[in-house]
Structure formats: structure tokens, C-alpha cells
Amino acid sequence: MKYTIHVGEYPITLEHGNLDRNIDVDDLTIIDTSNIFGEHTTISAAVNRIGLLKAEVEAQMALSKMEYKLYEGTFKNNLRKEAANNNGKYKIRVANEDVEVKLTEAALSTSFEIDPEWIKLKQSFIQSEKNFNQLDVLYWSCQDKSRKLNGLVNGTTPDDYVKGMIAGKVNGILIKKG
């Protein structure tokens, strides 16, 4: 997977191996005591991958929020224009009936909330926010696991570390020995 970020005018590409399409959250956040050293070796890469995903989802959430906020602004501006041409009143559809409403900031502040397009955009934002929050929880759980593993391997000699590590897939990352 690749991510391109811009530092000033310079694009920088961050790349890592593809993530599994299914991430077992319990498997990723639990410490496998039979392979503490494998866990310790791979958790930083797992935290990094989750962090990059989190950043991507956060950007999608911000774009989704911007969409519904722009829609709100345009909706209100259109009603203001209509009211300017109609003695300070605008029409809004309520339960299959057009209702004339006097232009006030209070009336404008909720005027868009029954609009089907706004509802769709707001639902999309809520889903994006949910996705972000779920990844945020996973990210902080992995960070916690990393701190615990650091405490468990503190003071281990390099030879003990290598001897104790079991080859295989740990935290979504393949470990090869020798």
C-alpha cells in the first residue's frame, strides 16, 4: 500500500506491504505469550499500519464533513436569495406541502435538516466518523500493547531475543528466522 504526503512542495511516498483485508482485532491486540519476541518485533509495524489507515479515514471523514457543511451553506444562501426576492420569506416543503417561512437566522439554522440530500450527506459523515473512531480505538489498543511488550522484553540479551522468537505471521507481519 502506498501513501503520498507533501512536505512543503516535495511529495514523499510512504509504502508498506499490503494489509490483510480482514484484521482480527483480538489477535492484533492480545499478547501471544508463547512468542513475546515476535510480538515485540512486529507491533511497531502494526501500529504504523493502523496509524496510516487512521490518517486516511480521518481525511475521508473531514472531506465528508466539508461536503455536508458546504451543502448547508449553499442551501441557506439559496433561501436568503429567495427571501430577498419575496418580501423576506422563502418556501420550504414540509410533509408534501409548501410552507412560507419568514427569514430569520433561527429558521435558517434548521431549514436544511429535512432535505433528503443533506440527510444523505450527514449519514455519510456519521459513517465516516464511526469508521475513524473504530480505527482510533484499535490504534490506541495497539499502542498500549507496544508499551506492555517493551516492559516485558526490557533487559533481554540479543541472543535470548533471537532464540526466543518463533517464525511465522505475527501481528499481520511475516517473521522469518535465519
Side-chain angles (χ1 to χ4, degrees), residues 71-140:
Y71 188 86
E72 283 177 14
T74 302
F75 194 91
K76 288 179 186 179
N77 283 338
N78 289 340
L79 293 180
R80 284 185 182 104
K81 287 177 189 174
E82 182 181 336
N85 295 327
N86 194 25
N87 297 322
K89 295 182 179 180
Y90 61 88
K91 288 184 182 174
I92 192 159
R93 192 147 193 80
V94 178
N96 295 327
E97 187 178 329
D98 287 335
V99 177
E100 218 171 53
V101 179
K102 182 178 178 183
L103 179 69
T104 64
E105 282 305 311
L108 279 178
S109 69
T110 60
S111 61
F112 48 83
E113 291 179 350
I114 59 172
D115 181 75
E117 183 63 23
W118 180 85
I119 291 169
K120 190 170 86 174
L121 291 170
K122 185 68 174 187
Q123 287 171 334
S124 176
F125 169 72
I126 290 167
Q127 184 61 50
S128 296
E129 189 175 40
K130 176 185 167 193
N131 292 343
F132 171 77
N133 288 332
Q134 289 171 331
L135 272 175
D136 192 47
V137 168
L138 180 58
Y139 176 79
W140 288 109

Side-chain angles (χ1 to χ4, degrees), residues 1-135:
M1 191 166 231
K2 290 184 181 184
Y3 300 87
T4 301
I5 61 171
H6 294 285
V7 178
E9 59 188 60
Y10 302 102
I12 297 173
T13 301
L14 306 174
E15 186 175 352
H16 61 78
N18 287 333
L19 293 168
D20 292 337
R21 292 189 59 79
N22 294 312
I23 298 172
D24 184 333
V25 173
D26 291 336
D27 190 45
L28 184 59
T29 56
I30 208 164
I31 295 175
D32 178 3
T33 55
S34 70
N35 195 5
I36 296 288
F37 302 112
E39 291 273 6
H40 185 257
T41 301
T42 59
I43 192 62
S44 293
V47 167
N48 183 53
R49 287 177 175 186
I50 298 300
L52 290 170
L53 277 175
K54 182 180 153 199
E56 191 69 28
V57 170
E58 186 173 23
Q60 290 172 359
M61 179 179 68
L63 287 171
S64 182
K65 183 176 185 176
M66 184 179 74
E67 278 186 63
Y68 88 79
K69 286 295 192 181
L70 284 172
Y71 188 86
E72 283 177 14
T74 302
F75 194 91
K76 288 179 186 179
N77 283 338
N78 289 340
L79 293 180
R80 284 185 182 104
K81 287 177 189 174
E82 182 181 336
N85 295 327
N86 194 25
N87 297 322
K89 295 182 179 180
Y90 61 88
K91 288 184 182 174
I92 192 159
R93 192 147 193 80
V94 178
N96 295 327
E97 187 178 329
D98 287 335
V99 177
E100 218 171 53
V101 179
K102 182 178 178 183
L103 179 69
T104 64
E105 282 305 311
L108 279 178
S109 69
T110 60
S111 61
F112 48 83
E113 291 179 350
I114 59 172
D115 181 75
E117 183 63 23
W118 180 85
I119 291 169
K120 190 170 86 174
L121 291 170
K122 185 68 174 187
Q123 287 171 334
S124 176
F125 169 72
I126 290 167
Q127 184 61 50
S128 296
E129 189 175 40
K130 176 185 167 193
N131 292 343
F132 171 77
N133 288 332
Q134 289 171 331
L135 272 175

